[in-house]
Amino acid sequence: MVCLVVAAVIIAVGMYSISVGDAPVPVSDVIATLLGDPTADSEFIVGTLRLPRALTAIGVGAAFGMSGAIFQSLARNPLGSPDIIGFNAGAALGAVGTIVVWGGSSLQVSIGALAGGLSTALAVYVLAWKRGLEASRLVLVGIGAGFSISAVNSYLITRADISDVQRATVWLTGSLNGRGWDEVRIIAVALAVLAPLAIVMQRSLDRLDLGDDTAAALGVRVGRAKLGLVLVGVGLAALGVAAAGPVAFVAFVAGPLARRITKTPGACVVPAAFVGALVTVTADLGARRVLAPTELPVGVMTAAVGAPYLLWLLTRQSRTGAL
Amino acid sequence: MVDATGEITVPVSSDDVLALDEYTAVNLLSLGVTPIRAVNFFQLGEVDAILEAEGVDVFTGAPFTPNLEELSQSDAALVAGLNFPTIVEVRDTIDDEIAPTVLVDFLSSDWRAQLDLLASVTGTEDRLAELEDSVDSAIEELRDEIAAAGLEGATVSYLEETSGGISLSQSGRLAPSILEQVGLARPAVEQVEGTGVISELSEETLGDHDADFMIVETDLTIEPTVNESPLRSDDGVKVYVYGWSEDVVGSFRVLADLRRIVLDGEEPFGPDDQLQIWNEFVVPR
Amino acid sequence: MRSTPDSSIGLADDRDDAAGDRDSRVARDTFVRRTIGAIALLAAVGLGALLSLAVGTKPIAWGTVFDALASHDASSSDHVIVRELRLPRTLLGVAVGVALGAAGALMQGVTRNPLAGPGILGVNAGAAFAVVSGIWWLGTSNVLVLAWFAFAGAAVASVVVYLLGTAGRGGATPVRLALAGAALSALLGAWTSAVVLLDQQTLDAFRFWAVGSLEGRDDDVAWHVAPIIAVGLLLAFGVARQLNAVALGDDTARALGTRIGTTRTMSLVAVTLLCGGAVAVAGPIGFVGLVVPHVARAWFGPDQRWLLPTSALLGAALLLFCDTLGRVAARPSEIQVGIMTAAIGGPAFIILVRRARMAQL
């Protein structure tokens, strides 16, 4: 129910976002274009530039929101994220490397980020595996890997031309600028495949929330369920990163916000998707217009809004420190 | 014709040209073509004064991002730019929606080749020939005067200092090749083949860079310290220079500064003198 | 874990006697092991300092190095290099390494969290934002000016984190401190990104500061920061014993008579001074504070009275070796120490994690 309301808000914000810009397009024209009857002006601006960007924003927000909700629930910690296995660091290296060393296009950068992130996560997993996978060893190896990779990144950033550094910094902040139908396709595939999986696994997630033993008693194959959830979570985050770079905070706030709005405990994967989408599309609108005609990357807006929210949450915490 | 992206077909036009970045705009201006609009793309502030003085309509959006919405509003007959990655990936869109597009090689340090391409699409080959003659004769003139003053073979150390530290330009770059052409020599350790830059040089090696004239190129973001280092010899002239860029304006600037430093024993031009160089040497008479 | 045998409580009982013997044997072995380790660390720091003076981008003979230190000849460029470039740099490396190592041990003790590094208080993020603001606002890259900005930023950030961590009911639990630090770091990181993305020249200057380097820092900066680090160290050693109690858990610590609030506050002040001083001089070097205490703990145990000084020494040794290596790895260029420590330390840490049983707190 709440999801439908949020969906309606998303559509409203999206339409508004598509209509504003340096070349304003009246909302009626926007609707007309969407229905297949474009005017000469609006076809390019709406069809080629703004519509795919809005769709990417929605898709990426949904992917990050779901991924964040899954990891926070798995880790039973509001700071849970795919970061721990070094995924973000590897993706950053892949993207920065592609920009600085190859001077790649956006699509090549996305591929580089994806390759870097997944291979780092895999390497960390392999390095941490020694007659079994111990959680503390995984975390420590992840830290070591994260630092090594950041050293290479720092080296590249200090040796590169300033224009490459700028491009890399923009990517690292998370940006929807210039995102077109290619990125929409990437994120649509991700959602089409992984979102249903996430929804199906929601039940296992709720049961795991009660504790490993209780979950096992309720019939959950704990090891396999966790692995599956991790894979889905990483997959969603990975494709979100490939489409827009690591947009800060969406994964972090979507889950808690969704829980607050729907007033249900537990992971709330689907509401988190909607909340994430709304946050991202609103942040993108802000990023485009606040300092017009200069555009900020969307990651700056999400962090500018998300971090104060987190700080506010902290001042209202209960004794146990639960969010 | 062939540009940085391959075969293209563009009309020859010197009116209604849209410049996708500020350096292309300056290149066009030096050929006598005033673009109807220029995008402040790299936003390093190096040529702002020139664009303002020439009255070019500059649009500043997000750096390194061609703002297609904005560009589609202009009535251009020809679009010129550099083959920077974020431009290359939207090149076809610009070509289809706005106007035929020509992209110049961004990484080339040969300003003559860059201007050559722009001259052929704007029909200003004559003007380019004038510019090249101008530079060539200035080089010859300086070489003769240096030889006449008995300074041929004098050593000149050329380093750069930025917030990233000390860098060394290899011999194929603009300033080193001009130094060679006017008969000045760099210390042995600086004679490195190539067109790149070796960065983050250690201060410990400064002693190897002693010369009759010690030139350090720097910019306004830092307070330069290289010439004050205790490892720099005190015999020899130590100066800081600005704006020795890899283009035609830079060429004139290098020559003017060298004249002042080597022949006249004066201070080189200051950081705000870019416009003066432009007006004196480059603007078509 | 007891570090001294408590034979005064022992009853005249055979089993107790045997247990007492075993305890004293274990305690003696531990003491020997720790002493050997401490001597080895001191030697490592000494060796690191020596190498830092003698090895660099310009090859200088050992004899010349000693001459430069003993009887300085100002006209010899080699002597100038040793005296005016490498000596201050070595001292700075020791100071920064000691500060970061000790701060890391402190943080992990106070938060009872082995993933805590000094950056968790938002210190690095605060310093970075202050530096970026300084570069943008004043248009300067002057090391001394930026050092003060960095220190101010670090101090303000840690105060804010502390206040946030103690706001509301419950006081400053480790979890809340960690969350507050992470949140503030993220916020400041976003603002920092915004500033550098709006101004190219700021980005150009900032990216070099952000890597962490000991190059080009002259004497002024060192003299300004040395007292700050010294005070921080004194505070840290002063609070080491209480930290041991806090590590056992809040309730146990209270039962043992420890003033938890005071201990925590003093520790955080010490971390701010140490970390703030280090980042002000050298920029953010993240690896040392986080990983060095783990390695020290694996050999010396969790007793803060041993852990603090040995983490400090290990940090100094690591920084000196990495700085020296950075000067020769890419002649005639230098690689900054921040890059080298992470590049070497990261894989070394992973190897260590795989081989040894990294003791939990």
Side-chain angles (χ1 to χ4, degrees):
Chain A
M1 194 42 46
V2 179
C3 291
L4 288 177
V5 172
V6 177
V9 178
I10 292 176
I11 293 182
V13 173
M15 299 287 258
Y16 179 66
S17 174
I18 294 180
S19 75
V20 304
D22 292 327
V25 177
V27 180
S28 51
D29 280 356
V30 173
I31 298 180
T33 313
L34 290 173
L35 294 175
D37 180 27
T39 67
D41 284 333
S42 70
E43 185 178 1
F44 176 59
I45 293 184
V46 172
T48 312
L49 298 180
R50 293 186 191 163
L51 181 59
R53 180 176 178 146
L55 289 176
T56 310
I58 293 174
V60 164
F64 280 131
M66 277 194 281
S67 172
I70 290 176
F71 273 101
Q72 284 169 353
S73 195
L74 273 181
R76 272 178 228 125
N77 182 333
L79 288 183
S81 77
D83 258 353
I84 341 173
I85 44 174
F87 174 78
N88 267 16
L93 179 61
V96 173
T98 311
I99 291 175
V100 169
V101 175
W102 279 291
S105 68
S106 289
L107 202 55
Q108 289 169 333
V109 172
S110 297
I111 295 175
L114 208 48
L118 292 176
S119 47
T120 306
L122 186 63
V124 168
Y125 190 84
V126 164
L127 283 171
W129 200 95
K130 188 182 166 187
R131 291 191 295 267
L133 190 68
E134 209 181 284
S136 57
R137 197 163 45 224
L138 181 65
V139 168
L140 290 175
V141 170
I143 290 178
F147 273 114
S148 319
I149 291 177
S150 74
V152 181
N153 256 355
S154 299
Y155 183 79
L156 288 175
I157 285 185
T158 50
R159 277 4 178 227
D161 195 37
I162 181 67
S163 39
D164 287 337
V165 174
Q166 230 269 359
R167 278 187 74 201
T169 309
V170 167
W171 189 92
L172 287 171
T173 320
S175 165
L176 286 166
N177 211 336
R179 277 15 186 204
W181 289 106
D182 284 336
E183 279 79 15
V184 175
R185 270 174 226 126
I186 293 177
I187 203 69
V189 162
L191 288 174
V193 170
L194 294 171
L197 281 175
I199 295 174
V200 161
M201 290 187 196
Q202 159 108 51
R203 242 182 357 170
S204 314
L205 195 57
D206 285 335
R207 288 181 185 164
L208 282 169
D209 238 355
L210 302 169
D212 284 4
D213 299 328
T214 321
L218 287 170
V220 174
R221 311 259 272 288
V222 171
R224 280 190 26 188
K226 280 192 180 174
L227 183 62
L229 282 163
V230 166
L231 286 177
V232 168
V234 170
L236 284 167
L239 289 165
V241 163
V247 181
F249 270 103
V250 178
F252 182 73
V253 299
L257 258 181
R259 263 197 297 278
R260 237 161 236 268
I261 299 180
T262 57
K263 294 191 175 44
T264 51
C268 298
V269 167
V270 171
F274 280 95
V275 168
L278 181 58
V279 166
T280 313
V281 82
T282 316
D284 192 39
L285 176 62
R288 278 175 53 214
R289 300 308 300 165
V290 158
L291 287 178
T294 299
E295 281 190 31
L296 286 172
V298 67
V300 170
M301 288 309 284
T302 53
V305 170
Y309 168 71
L310 170 60
L311 294 175
W312 174 78
L313 266 187
L314 277 170
T315 61
R316 300 179 80 250
Q317 256 185 44
S318 67
R319 180 166 298 208
T320 56
L323 273 182
Chain B
M1 77 175 46
V2 179
D3 77 345
T5 57
E7 279 282 332
I8 56 168
T9 322
V10 292
V12 173
S13 164
S14 65
D15 298 316
D16 298 333
V17 182
L18 173 65
L20 290 177
D21 65 273
E22 61 269 41
Y23 299 109
T24 302
V26 170
N27 280 342
L28 288 168
L29 285 170
S30 63
L31 290 173
V33 175
T34 308
I36 50 164
R37 207 139 196 243
V39 176
N40 195 357
F41 188 78
F42 294 97
Q43 301 186 12
L44 288 169
E46 291 173 352
V47 295
D48 289 351
I50 296 176
L51 290 176
E52 199 182 318
E54 297 288 330
V56 178
D57 176 20
V58 176
F59 167 70
T60 306
F64 305 152
T65 321
N67 189 325
L68 293 177
E69 285 185 28
E70 190 63 41
L71 295 176
S72 65
Q73 308 286 304
S74 42
D75 244 336
L78 176 69
V79 176
L82 297 169
N83 67 341
F84 193 75
T86 52
I87 294 185
V88 170
E89 65 192 14
V90 294
R91 181 221 173 264
D92 289 336
T93 312
I94 298 179
D95 201 65
D96 292 335
E97 300 282 339
I98 303 175
T101 310
V102 58
L103 296 182
V104 175
D105 188 9
F106 159 65
L107 295 170
S108 159
S109 51
D110 181 3
W111 60 267
R112 295 170 203 247
Q114 290 186 324
L115 286 183
D116 195 41
L117 184 55
L118 286 176
S120 47
V121 297
T122 52
T124 48
E125 290 93 335
D126 292 338
R127 170 64 192 148
L128 177 58
E130 260 177 51
L131 267 180
E132 289 181 337
D133 282 340
S134 201
V135 173
D136 289 336
S137 54
I139 292 179
E140 262 189 56
E141 208 182 301
L142 188 59
R143 186 180 66 221
D144 293 338
E145 290 186 35
I146 286 180
L151 289 166
E152 193 169 337
T155 48
V156 174
S157 159
Y158 170 56
L159 295 173
E160 285 150 75
E161 186 179 4
T162 62
S163 41
I166 311 173
S167 322
L168 174 72
S169 284
Q170 293 174 329
S171 308
R173 290 179 78 81
L174 183 89
S177 54
I178 290 183
L179 282 173
E180 195 195 353
Q181 287 173 292
V182 299
L184 298 167
R186 286 175 96 184
V189 72
E190 292 183 22
Q191 293 172 15
V192 181
E193 289 299 313
T195 53
V197 173
I198 302 175
S199 57
E200 319 260 356
L201 282 181
S202 172
E203 198 183 339
E204 291 183 14
T205 59
L206 267 185
D208 297 335
H209 294 266
D210 287 337
D212 298 325
F213 299 94
M214 289 173 272
I215 299 178
V216 175
E217 185 187 347
T218 181
D219 58 40
L220 286 172
T221 60
I222 60 167
E223 290 159 29
T225 57
V226 170
N227 278 343
E228 273 68 59
S229 165
L231 290 168
R232 274 286 205 184
S233 140
D234 280 327
D235 328 305
V237 176
K238 296 190 256 191
V239 291
Y240 292 111
V241 297
Y242 300 84
W244 281 18
S245 47
E246 303 268 311
D247 54 24
V248 66
V249 183
S251 303
F252 284 115
R253 178 125 188 185
V254 170
L255 291 165
D257 277 340
L258 281 177
R259 175 176 297 269
R260 281 192 170 187
I261 299 168
V262 176
L263 290 179
D264 301 338
E266 285 172 13
E267 284 299 304
F269 283 93
D272 299 325
D273 292 335
Q274 197 74 343
L275 190 54
Q276 185 184 347
I277 304 276
W278 171 261
N279 284 327
E280 208 173 308
F281 296 103
V282 184
V283 172
R285 299 185 199 287
Chain C
M1 180 175 162
R2 292 182 290 177
S3 50
T4 50
D6 203 343
S7 50
S8 59
I9 303 185
L11 301 171
D13 185 45
D14 276 353
R15 246 145 127 238
D16 273 351
D17 271 348
D21 280 344
R22 197 174 51 237
D23 278 341
S24 49
R25 215 177 30 248
V26 166
R28 201 177 47 238
D29 286 346
T30 311
F31 187 71
V32 166
R33 173 184 160 101
R34 284 171 168 174
T35 316
I36 293 179
I39 294 178
L41 265 185
L42 279 169
V45 173
L47 181 63
L50 218 58
L51 284 177
S52 175
L53 287 169
V55 175
T57 320
K58 182 152 194 237
I60 297 181
W62 283 84
T64 322
V65 173
F66 287 123
D67 282 341
L69 293 172
S71 54
H72 180 57
D73 173 11
S75 64
S76 155
S77 67
D78 282 353
H79 283 219
V80 169
I81 289 178
V82 174
R83 264 284 178 111
E84 301 199 28
L85 292 187
R86 292 184 190 172
L87 184 58
R89 191 161 168 166
T90 306
L91 294 174
L92 215 52
V94 170
V96 170
V98 158
L100 289 175
L106 264 184
M107 270 321 291
Q108 292 182 2
V110 159
T111 59
R112 288 197 290 271
N113 184 343
L115 297 185
I120 207 173
L121 275 189
V123 168
N124 284 352
F129 181 63
V131 164
V132 148
S133 308
I135 295 177
W136 190 34
W137 189 30
L138 299 176
T140 180
S141 291
N142 179 294
V143 176
L144 190 55
V145 171
L146 289 183
W148 281 112
F149 268 91
F151 187 72
V156 169
S158 66
V159 165
V160 169
V161 168
Y162 184 68
L163 288 176
L164 281 172
T166 50
R169 302 167 292 161
T173 65
V175 172
R176 293 186 52 188
L177 274 179
L179 282 179
L184 190 66
S185 295
L187 178 63
L188 291 173
W191 288 352
T192 306
S193 294
V195 173
V196 297
L197 287 175
L198 289 173
D199 183 29
Q200 290 273 46
Q201 285 156 331
T202 305
L203 175 62
D204 204 10
F206 178 69
R207 60 174 163 145
F208 294 102
W209 181 87
V211 158
S213 165
L214 290 172
E215 194 196 356
R217 271 70 173 161
D218 55 21
D219 289 344
D220 288 344
V221 182
W223 285 125
H224 282 238
V225 93
I228 295 178
I229 292 183
V231 170
L233 279 175
L234 282 174
L235 270 177
F237 291 137
V239 93
R241 182 184 271 262
Q242 284 90 318
L243 271 183
N244 283 339
V246 167
L248 299 172
D250 281 5
D251 297 327
T252 321
R254 236 174 259 123
L256 287 171
T258 316
R259 308 249 289 280
I260 298 188
T262 320
T263 309
R264 233 171 230 146
T265 313
M266 274 186 44
S267 305
L268 294 179
V269 171
V271 168
T272 305
L273 289 176
L274 289 170
C275 239
V279 80
V281 164
I285 301 179
F287 183 77
V288 177
L290 180 53
V291 166
V292 156
H294 280 271
V295 178
R297 197 179 304 118
W299 184 269
F300 292 96
D303 183 348
Q304 287 283 352
R305 291 169 299 177
W306 281 90
L307 191 58
L308 268 175
T310 52
S311 294
L313 286 176
L314 192 54
L318 181 63
L319 218 60
L320 284 173
F321 279 118
C322 286
D323 186 46
T324 311
L325 200 56
R327 274 181 265 156
V328 298
R331 279 192 174 116
S333 305
E334 295 193 17
I335 301 183
Q336 290 92 337
V337 69
I339 296 178
M340 291 306 289
T341 45
I344 292 183
F349 185 61
I350 292 179
I351 293 176
L352 201 59
V353 166
R354 280 181 66 82
R355 277 163 172 258
R357 252 172 49 95
M358 305 294 291
Q360 296 294 315
L361 268 177

